Amino acid sequence: MDQNAYLDNVKELNKYAYHYYVLDDPITTDDIYDRLYHKVLAYEEVNTESIAEDSPTQRVGDVPLEGYEKADHLSRMWSLEDIFDADELLKWLERTAKRSEDALFYCEPKYDGASLNLVYAEGRLVQAVTRGNGLTGELITQNARTIKSIPLTIAYDGRIEIRGEVVIFKEEFERINADRAANDEALFANPRNAAAGSLRQLDPRITAKRNLVFLPYGIGENELDIPLLSARMAYVYELGFKKPPMRQECRGFSEIEAFYQKMRDERDDLSMMLDGMVIKVDQVEIQQEMGYTVKNPRWSVAYKFPAVEKLTKVKNIVLQVGRSGVVTPVAIVEPTHIEGVVVERATLHNFDEIERKDIRIGDSVIILRSGDVIPKIIKVIIPERNGSELKVERPTQCPVCDSELLDEGVLIKCQNLKCEARVVNSIIYFASKPCLNIDGLGEKIVESLYQSGLVHSVIDLFSLRMEQLLELDGFKEKRSSKLLDSLEQAKGCECWRFVNAMGIEHIGEVASKTLCDAFGLAFTKASMEELIALDGIGEEMAGSLMEFIRVNREHIATLEEILLPSIPEAKVEASENPFKGKIAVLTGSMSESRGLIKELLEGYGAKVSGSVSKKTDYLVFGDDAGSKYDKAVSLGVATITEAQMRTMLE
Ligand code: IVH
């Protein structure tokens, strides 16, 4: 790179940064930014005399915003240098080895959220300050106090800074966005933005509703006399902070690399988003010897995961009709590799979302894929447009059966119960794992059964005969008899599978189990009052079920006759005790797994539910009880310790 190319790159970086930090409206992905940043940094390292004054490398952080009081950190909050592959790891290790040959390494996740510095004095949380520019940040103590994983008091008398990342778990992120979509509010692009935005709310009540989580990663000012970082962190967890889902002490390249691969492979299964792994020298004394550059500690580095956000182009926007008739727009994008998966489709949620983001066919867009989250378009790069992009209109006709659509605003629905897409998708759902789990009845087969005219409803499946199947394309003897066998095996299924498989709106797996536990097959005769008396069944669910039964009475009866669902044997009646017939909720860590304690209570005739409501009789809590405990207290539900529960059972 020559001097001119270098200056162009600095300019480009500054443009990206302006869009990201000032306008809150990114025009590129983090990955592209990081790579360019590193190119610039590499140039500057060898051309120290010609570093541009406005190079982002010369900026030590971002400016705290107005609206909050500012506060100084007791000791500086540093950033981390990034590395992207095994080569760079090797180089980093060589550099550290030059400074000390004895270094051991502590590895933990790099969480993707917003950093926060907590100050405790005499055992009390006295300040919570955002990172800001590393020296000064925003004072958001009130907001931090709403975060359940931040202890308000700790068993440590001196003054100590506990640093960590505030994150939103993936599931909670989906929930918040679903709520926002239903209320016609703009969606958060990713859990990190959602966490940062929620943390810096001027109104702490909004922060409190967002279920933020604090994950500690370090200690600032302190008077600890513990020589290893790993042991210091263990001490922090002892004080009542959350542990990382994975952490490991490693001795050198191969152990670090292996642990990195493991974390990368397992991260989709973790509740929080990770964007890499942080490697830190474990011995505090060696850390101090190694010291800091302008921005970063020399004793730590962030080993980033491959990007999950990528730039691509929208080739087309197609419509999908689901089993309930909801029409969902889906973007077909230029195939893009993200973490070893080729992404070709991205969900667009609904038409309001397309209009809000102004997504057009031909647009350059940023897509995001993260673990279990379905790939989605988070942003259109408007400056890339050339005028040839096409807007998509809200559909008025079903793309599959051509009948008129009902436009309810957020949702657009095909109301034709016989629409091929609805029928085919409900059969696929019927056969899926959480329903009847029928092997050999996948998408393609259901489609060909439907198109051959053999199957028009789930009931037809059970009168299929060998000679009919053999006439279908691709059906030889083996495949046909396998399908007929699996259909036979579906008979006698558990009652809840039968209920779940019918695909009743608002009634999923959990509700189906609740219904069958309470009524068995007689759920069709339950009254509205009886239904809503059940824990976890609200008015909307009960209403939807009653309506389904009213309209489909005959269908239910026929299906029941075919499937002969089994009812779990009535449990032996428990003798009289304080928990019999009561609803209990368990929280916190107990002397045995909560699964075992649940079984114990169920044996005494209690029902153990996952969430606290007005119907809960007892909240049984162990150590580290969190939001369920607070909710129980606020609803006036009796709270008892595990020990108290055991005494009551004696
Ligand atoms: S250590 C002394 N550890 O990443 C080094 N940071 O790029 C200071 N982060 O500002 C940071 N997980 O907000 C550290 N396990 C982890 C982290 C972590 C996430 C964030 C943190 C920091 C940024 C640095």
Side-chain angles (χ1 to χ4, degrees), residues 96-133:
T96 51
K98 279 194 195 134
R99 294 176 187 273
S100 160
E101 289 196 335
D102 306 321
L104 298 170
F105 302 93
Y106 179 63
C107 300
E108 63 178 5
K110 183 166 195 303
Y111 307 114
D112 203 7
S115 49
L116 184 65
N117 187 28
L118 304 174
V119 184
Y120 289 84
E122 282 147 24
R124 290 177 41 248
L125 173 66
V126 290
Q127 270 196 348
V129 188
T130 63
R131 181 180 181 284
N133 63 11

Side-chain angles (χ1 to χ4, degrees), residues 323-324 413 499 502-508 511 515 523 528 531-532 537-552 556:
R323 65 188 163 86
S324 61
K413 284 183 177 165
V499 176
M502 287 189 285
I504 307 166
E505 202 177 8
H506 304 305
I507 306 289
L515 288 169
F523 71 93
M528 189 75 179
L531 289 173
I532 51 184
I537 306 279
E539 246 168 70
E540 193 177 30
M541 293 164 102
S544 160
L545 176 67
M546 302 278 290
E547 177 61 13
F548 185 89
I549 294 169
R550 189 182 68 78
V551 178
N552 297 289
I556 302 174

Side-chain angles (χ1 to χ4, degrees), residues 78-80 108-111 115 131 165 217 278 280 297 299:
W78 298 89
S79 310
L80 290 174
E108 63 178 5
K110 183 166 195 303
Y111 307 114
S115 49
R131 181 180 181 284
E165 199 83 348
Y217 59 65
V278 181
K280 295 170 185 170
W299 46 268

Side-chain angles (χ1 to χ4, degrees), residues 102-105 227-229 281-288:
D102 306 321
L104 298 170
F105 302 93
L228 291 183
L229 174 67
V281 169
D282 204 16
Q283 300 99 325
V284 177
E285 201 179 340
I286 300 183
Q287 291 181 357
Q288 282 158 359

Side-chain angles (χ1 to χ4, degrees), residues 468-629:
Q468 291 175 315
L469 289 178
L470 287 175
E471 284 190 10
L472 297 180
D473 261 3
F475 268 87
K476 300 242 165 60
E477 197 122 336
K478 199 164 157 210
R479 197 168 182 192
S480 312
S481 66
K482 196 179 136 212
L483 176 57
L484 293 175
D485 275 356
S486 339
L487 283 163
E488 246 342 273
Q489 273 170 27
K491 295 181 182 169
C493 64
E494 295 141 290
C495 172
W496 68 267
R497 289 186 180 273
F498 159 66
V499 176
N500 197 30
M502 287 189 285
I504 307 166
E505 202 177 8
H506 304 305
I507 306 289
E509 190 175 322
V510 177
S512 301
K513 287 180 182 161
T514 309
L515 288 169
C516 292
D517 280 352
F519 306 111
L521 287 168
F523 71 93
T524 50
K525 301 193 182 76
S527 69
M528 189 75 179
E529 292 68 39
E530 285 172 315
L531 289 173
I532 51 184
L534 296 177
D535 193 38
I537 306 279
E539 246 168 70
E540 193 177 30
M541 293 164 102
S544 160
L545 176 67
M546 302 278 290
E547 177 61 13
F548 185 89
I549 294 169
R550 189 182 68 78
V551 178
N552 297 289
R553 203 171 284 283
E554 220 171 296
H555 173 83
I556 302 174
T558 315
L559 203 56
E560 184 187 322
E561 224 164 273
I562 296 171
L563 287 173
L564 300 173
S566 62
I567 313 294
E569 272 175 48
K571 295 196 185 100
V572 188
E573 181 84 349
S575 53
E576 282 315 313
N577 72 74
F579 285 90
K580 187 174 171 184
K582 298 286 196 251
I583 298 174
V585 174
L586 308 177
T587 188
S589 43
M590 308 199 169
S591 64
E592 296 176 278
S593 79
R594 285 202 295 267
L596 284 176
I597 299 201
K598 178 171 187 270
E599 264 174 32
L600 171 80
L601 283 176
E602 283 170 350
Y604 280 95
K607 189 173 169 316
V608 178
S609 154
S611 55
V612 177
S613 74
K614 278 185 284 187
K615 294 171 196 163
T616 310
D617 295 297
Y618 296 110
L619 178 97
V620 186
F621 65 97
D623 295 338
D624 294 330
S627 57
K628 286 183 192 171
Y629 179 85

